[in-house]
C-alpha cells in the first residue's frame, strides 16, 4: 500500500514585508492574489486564514455582507484548486483586544471578542471549512496581578462554548503559546488546551494546533507535545517551524535550528498516522528581513522540502535495528543509529 501523502498549507502572513521591532518594512506588500499564486506554484493546497485575511475590514461590514465576501473568496480558491484550512479570529490587533479579548478586564471588550469570533465561524463556513483556530495571543498578563486566573479560565470556557454554539459544525483548534506578546499566557501548553477543551460544552469539537516554536518556548519537546495530542485524537493542525532556544518567537525554516528535533516531529506524525487523517501540514515561518522581494518565499519552499526529506528519513529508519537496541537497553547504540541515519550513513 502506498504511504499516505501529506497536504501542505501556508498563511498569508508567511509572506511578510520584513518589518521587525527595530525597523520598518523592507519589501513591497504582496497582494492576496499573489499569495494564492505562490501557494499554487509551491505545491501548497491549503490556505490558513485570519478572519480579516478572508474578509478585509470585516469590522465595518454587516454579517450578511461578511458571508457574501467570504463566499467570493471561496470561489477564488475553488478556481485555483485551493481550500481553506482554518479561520482564526484576529483579536490581538484590534483596539478592543488591547488587554486580551475573552479575558479582557473590560466587559465590552469581552463581548466584542465573542461577537467577532462568531463572525469568524460564519467566514469559515462560507469558505467551506469548519475549523476555527484560537491563538489566545493576549489572553494573559504582563502584570500578573492584573487578572484573576480562576476567572480567566471560566471566561475562556465561556468563549469556547459561544463559538461551539454559533454553529454545530464548528470545531476549535487551540494554538497554545506560553508568552509573547504577553508575559504569562493563560493557555501555555497542549495539556492546558486539552484540559480546557474537556471542560467545554462539547469536548469532541475542541482539539489543538501545535506550533514547534511555541512548544520550545515552553521548554517542551515539540514531538512529545504532538504525540500527546495524537494519542488523544486531538492533533487537528500543526505550525511547523524552528526556534533557537529561549528568545523571541523566531518562526525559522523547519529544521533550521535543530534537524534532529524536526526529524522527531516528522517521525511522530508518521507514527500517529497524521497523513491519513487528511489534515494539513501547515508552516508558520517568516522570511528573513535580509531577503530580497523576489526571493522572499524561499523559506516556504525550503520548509516543505525539508519536511519531505525527513519523511523519507522516517520511512527508511532502521526500525528493526532500533528495536534490537531498545530490547538490549543499549540506548547509546540507538543514539548512534539515529545520528548515522540523519548523517546519511
Ligand atoms: C500564531 C499564529 C497566527 C498568527 C501569525 C502571525 C493563527 O502563532 O499562528 O495566528 O497570526 O503567526 O504572527
Ligand atoms: Mg502559529
Amino acid at each position: 500500500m502506498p504511504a499516505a501523502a501529506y497536504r501542505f498549507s501556508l498563511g498569508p502572513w508567511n509572506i511578510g514585508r520584513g518589518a521587525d521591532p527595530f525597523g520598518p518594512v523592507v519589501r513591497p506588500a504582496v497582494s492576496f492574489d499573489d499569495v494564492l499564486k505562490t501557494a499554487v506554484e509551491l505545491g501548497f493546497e491549503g490556505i490558513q486564514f485570519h478572519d480579516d485575511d478572508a474578509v478585509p475590514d470585516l469590522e465595518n461590514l454587516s454579517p450578511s455582507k461578511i458571508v457574501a465576501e467570504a463566499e467570493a473568496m471561496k470561489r477564488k480558491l475553488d478556481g485555483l484548486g485551493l481550500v481553506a484550512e482554518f479561520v482564526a479570529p484576529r483579536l490581538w490587533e484590534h483596539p478592543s483586544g488591547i488587554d486580551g479579548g475573552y479575558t479582557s478586564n473590560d466587559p465590552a471588550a469581552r463581548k466584542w471578542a465573542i461577537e467577532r469570533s462568531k463572525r469568524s465561524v460564519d467566514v469559515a463556513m462560507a469558505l467551506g471549512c469548519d475549523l476555527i483556530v484560537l491563538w489566545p495571543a493576549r489572553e494573559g498578563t504582563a502584570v500578573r496581578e492584573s487578572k484573576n486566573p480562576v476567572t480567566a479560565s471560566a471566561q475562556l470556557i465561556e468563549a469556547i462554548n459561544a463559538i461551539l454554539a454559533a454553529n454545530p459544525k464548528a470545531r476549535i483548534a487551540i494554538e497554545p503559546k506560553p508568552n509573547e506578546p504577553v508575559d504569562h499566557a493563560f493557555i501555555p501548553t497542549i495539556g492546558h488546551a486539552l484540559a480546557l477543551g474537556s471542560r467545554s460544552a462539547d469536548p469532541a469539537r475542541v482539539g489543538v494546533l501545535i506550533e514547534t516554536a511555541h512548544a520550545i518556548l515552553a521548554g517542551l519537546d515539540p514531538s512529545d507535545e504532538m504525540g500527546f495530542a495524537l494519542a488523544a485524537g486531538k492533533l487537528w493542525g500543526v505550525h511547523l517551524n524552528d526556534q533557537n532556544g529561549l528568545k523571541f518567537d523566531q518562526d525559522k525554516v523547519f529544521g533550521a535550528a535543530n534537524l534532529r528535533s524536526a526529524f522527531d516531529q516528522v517521525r511522530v506524525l508518521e507514527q500517529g498516522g497524521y497523513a491519513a487523517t487528511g489534515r494539513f501540514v501547515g508552516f508558520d515561518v517568516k522570511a528573513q528581513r535580509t531577503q530580497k522581494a523576489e526571493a522572499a518565499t524561499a523559506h516556504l519552499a525550503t520548509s516543505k522540502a525539508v519536511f519531505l526529506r525527513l519523511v523519507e528519513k522516517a520511512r527508511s529508519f532502521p526500525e528493526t535495528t532500533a528495536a534490537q537496541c531498545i530490547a538490549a537497553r543499549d540506548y547509546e547504540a540507538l543514539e548512534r543509529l539515529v545520528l548515522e541515519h540523519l548523517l546519511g550513513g
Side-chain angles (χ1 to χ4, degrees):
M1 203 177 74
Y6 287 93
R7 307 165 82 196
F8 297 94
S9 73
L10 57 80
W13 64 89
N14 295 150
I15 304 177
R17 304 187 62 194
D20 68 16
F22 307 98
V25 299
V26 294
R27 293 184 288 266
V30 176
S31 72
F32 202 83
D33 285 349
D34 282 344
V35 168
L36 298 183
K37 211 170 123 217
T38 299
V40 173
E41 280 165 10
L42 298 180
F44 285 72
E45 180 194 352
I47 303 295
Q48 310 163 18
F49 284 92
H50 295 114
D51 48 5
D52 54 1
D53 292 324
V55 182
D57 199 29
L58 85 176
E59 288 279 345
N60 296 316
L61 303 178
S62 67
S64 59
K65 180 79 176 141
I66 291 173
V67 169
E69 293 215 1
E71 284 170 349
M73 176 61 80
K74 164 89 162 65
R75 286 193 290 276
K76 192 179 275 194
L77 296 177
D78 287 348
L80 292 163
L82 298 169
V83 296
E85 180 193 8
F86 66 69
V87 175
R90 184 156 24 200
L91 304 180
W92 55 92
E93 288 188 7
H94 191 273
S96 296
I98 193 163
D99 190 22
Y102 312 132
T103 65
S104 171
N105 282 320
D106 175 0
R110 292 201 299 276
K111 191 157 173 267
W112 162 82
I114 288 178
E115 281 312 308
R116 169 116 179 205
S117 305
K118 288 185 191 167
R119 294 291 84 74
S120 295
V121 173
D122 294 344
V123 171
M125 294 300 154
L127 287 176
C129 80
D130 59 8
L131 191 62
I132 304 298
V133 165
L134 293 187
W135 173 42
R138 297 188 196 278
E139 313 299 350
T141 57
V143 176
R144 182 60 199 78
E145 295 77 10
S146 65
K147 291 181 185 175
N148 174 341
V150 179
T151 309
S153 296
Q155 288 165 337
L156 288 164
I157 290 174
E158 195 187 320
I160 288 171
N161 287 346
I163 296 168
L164 294 174
N167 189 304
K169 288 204 202 96
R171 292 178 303 122
I172 296 173
I174 301 174
E175 182 185 1
K177 182 178 179 183
N179 61 279
E180 200 199 54
V182 292
D183 184 12
H184 294 294
F186 286 133
I187 315 183
T189 68
I190 292 308
H192 290 82
L194 291 182
L196 203 67
S198 76
R199 296 176 55 222
S200 73
D202 192 356
R205 288 195 283 144
V206 186
V208 293
L209 180 149
I210 297 183
E211 174 161 332
T212 311
H214 297 182
I216 294 169
L217 287 169
L220 299 170
D221 180 274
S223 68
D224 278 345
E225 287 280 84
M226 289 174 189
F228 187 72
L230 281 164
K234 292 293 191 184
L235 187 61
W236 296 352
V238 290
H239 266 171
L240 300 184
N241 59 18
D242 215 346
Q243 172 74 24
N244 199 4
L246 297 181
K247 50 186 83 172
F248 65 96
D249 184 2
Q250 295 181 296
D251 294 339
K252 286 165 90 75
V253 159
F254 183 54
N258 189 335
L259 206 47
R260 182 173 181 179
S261 166
F263 167 72
D264 287 332
Q265 290 167 65
V266 172
R267 188 159 182 259
V268 83
L269 293 177
E270 288 276 297
Q271 289 168 330
Y274 186 78
T277 67
R279 301 196 197 290
F280 283 94
V281 170
F283 296 103
D284 196 350
V285 286
K286 279 196 191 76
Q288 293 176 36
R289 192 163 193 268
T290 42
Q291 281 305 97
K292 293 178 183 160
E294 61 277 14
T297 57
H299 59 302
L300 284 160
T302 305
S303 293
K304 183 179 167 217
V306 168
F307 181 90
L308 289 170
R309 288 289 299 277
L310 289 173
V311 170
E312 283 170 26
K313 282 284 173 193
R315 291 180 183 174
S316 61
F317 185 67
E319 297 290 354
T320 308
T321 314
Q324 286 162 358
C325 298
I326 292 166
R329 213 180 67 209
D330 189 351
Y331 299 150
E332 295 292 358
L334 181 63
E335 187 101 290
R336 176 80 182 249
L337 191 72
V338 172
L339 293 174
E340 293 285 358
H341 186 64
L342 289 177
L343 287 167

